[in-house]
Amino acid sequence: MPEAAHVGSGKVRELYAIDGDQLVLVATDRISTFDVVLPTEIPDKGRVLTGLSAFWFARTRSTVPNHLLGLREDGRSSECRRLEMLPLECVVRGYITGSGWKDYQASGATSGQALPDGLRESDRLPAPIFTPSTKADEGHDENIDLDQARELVGAERLEEVERVSLDLYRFAADYALARGIIVADTKFEFGVDGEGRLVFADEAFTPDSSRFWPAAEYEPGRPQPSFDKQFVRDYCESLGWDKTAPGPELPDEVVAGTRARYVEAFERLTEIPFDSYLADPETVLR
Ligand code: Q0N
């Protein structure tokens, strides 16, 4: 992209500046597991994630404005408004898993919020909770309590992002559950525009920013299979790989099975054939 300056890299996405006001966010086909990016790509994974994000941005505009300006023809690149990002990862958990489950086992709480006794791993919480974390450039984000979050963004902005985050989660989790997918938890990033308005940025309810579980297989008391990455994890576990870089190459059948799961998530949630998205990405916005 010679017309744009590279401004940032994530594990699987790249960010370019078109000018002072506009960015292009490109979702690659890279996949990470156990926090390691694998040498093998999953064809169309980036298109699935870009299309899903755009779908959710279009459907949550009445809750909060977002950074999406348009989708490019390639289906993997989105043009976005350039914002001042808040230094906070806004996590909402509807189920107790991952670092929330670890915190709960150690202390009965997560992010300083007490939880009922007797929860089992993967249990649904009585109500979704807002558990912010700090952005770590390298390695894991660190869970923080609401007092620490308030120091980072101020009391008013924190109240606003908590309310908006919970609203977004309730909407998407209900929507997804009706289509057979549990959104166990999710992570949002917000920015602020030139007028001081809160804007939903980055990605929206993708399998990379959220834990998607197949509702048909949900059974609390154990870890749940990942909707999208379970074949990859199972294959990696079968190798006895030590989960440090470099990760293993994936065989064709694992790649094909994983691609099919990403496409299935897209089609279940959007009710749009993935081929229709490839033919005209803006289908997800209508
Ligand atoms: C921004 N990040 C997070 C993509 C994700 N609209 C925006 N305006 C200004 N900055 C950002 C956005 C957005 N979205 C978001 N970094 C900058 C992480 N990146 C890392 C690279 O890949």
Side-chain angles (χ1 to χ4, degrees):
M1 235 191 306
E3 77 280 13
H6 187 235
V7 294
S9 267
K11 281 207 182 72
V12 305
R13 291 174 306 145
E14 303 290 344
L15 198 55
Y16 300 85
I18 306 181
D19 56 37
D21 306 323
Q22 266 175 263
L23 300 174
V24 178
L25 189 50
V26 181
T28 70
D29 291 338
R30 299 195 292 264
I31 187 169
S32 71
T33 190
F34 307 113
D35 276 327
V36 174
V37 177
L38 301 181
T40 312
E41 297 190 329
I42 306 299
D44 293 324
K45 171 176 178 281
R47 293 189 173 91
V48 165
L49 268 61
T50 296
L52 268 179
S53 266
F55 172 82
W56 290 115
F57 281 137
R59 275 150 194 81
T60 57
R61 281 177 52 202
S62 61
T63 299
V64 62
N66 60 67
H67 77 164
L68 183 66
L69 296 170
L71 290 169
R72 290 198 164 175
E73 280 292 327
D74 65 6
R76 70 169 69 252
S77 310
S78 45
E79 300 187 355
C80 309
R81 281 197 279 160
R82 193 169 196 168
L83 306 164
E84 203 60 56
M85 299 301 289
L86 297 181
L88 201 65
E89 303 277 351
C90 291
V91 177
V92 178
R93 302 172 189 277
Y95 295 74
I96 190 76
T97 184
S99 67
W101 171 243
K102 281 207 177 74
D103 293 348
Y104 174 74
Q105 284 177 293
S107 70
T110 185
S111 300
Q113 300 174 66
L115 294 171
D117 288 337
L119 291 176
R120 298 160 295 174
E121 182 173 15
S122 312
D123 257 334
R124 187 175 189 161
L125 294 169
I129 54 172
F130 177 69
T131 60
S133 59
T134 53
K135 294 185 199 186
D137 286 338
E138 288 293 310
H140 279 282
D141 296 344
E142 192 187 328
N143 287 343
I144 56 174
D145 63 27
L146 293 174
D147 291 332
Q148 292 168 293
R150 196 172 296 110
E151 280 167 30
L152 289 172
V153 300
E156 257 187 83
R157 192 65 85 182
L158 182 64
E159 274 183 41
E160 185 182 20
V161 294
E162 173 168 17
R163 175 176 49 77
V164 167
S165 295
L166 289 168
D167 282 352
L168 289 170
Y169 176 81
R170 283 187 286 259
F171 170 76
D174 288 353
Y175 194 101
L177 189 55
R179 289 155 185 82
I181 294 177
I182 292 173
V183 180
D185 52 29
T186 193
K187 182 172 78 180
F188 307 118
E189 291 196 38
F190 294 97
V192 175
D193 70 11
E195 277 69 58
R197 280 183 295 248
L198 186 72
V199 181
F200 184 9
D202 203 50
E203 54 183 338
F205 301 106
T206 69
D208 280 5
S209 68
S210 315
R211 283 193 180 85
F212 286 3
W213 294 340
E217 287 156 57
Y218 176 60
E219 194 186 288
R222 57 160 171 85
Q224 303 304 295
S226 161
F227 194 94
D228 44 300
K229 286 184 180 169
Q230 202 55 46
F231 294 142
V232 173
R233 292 192 187 147
D234 290 348
Y235 175 72
C236 290
E237 297 282 11
S238 78
L239 298 176
W241 166 50
D242 65 3
K243 298 171 189 172
T244 64
E249 297 269 6
L250 301 174
D252 292 350
E253 60 274 17
V254 173
V255 171
T258 301
R259 180 187 180 280
R261 292 297 276 175
Y262 280 100
V263 170
E264 185 183 348
F266 177 95
E267 292 186 335
R268 278 212 214 179
L269 291 168
T270 66
E271 299 171 303
I272 296 166
F274 187 59
D275 284 343
S276 304
Y277 177 72
L278 295 180
D280 177 13
E282 295 200 334
T283 327
V284 294
L285 303 176
R286 297 188 275 263

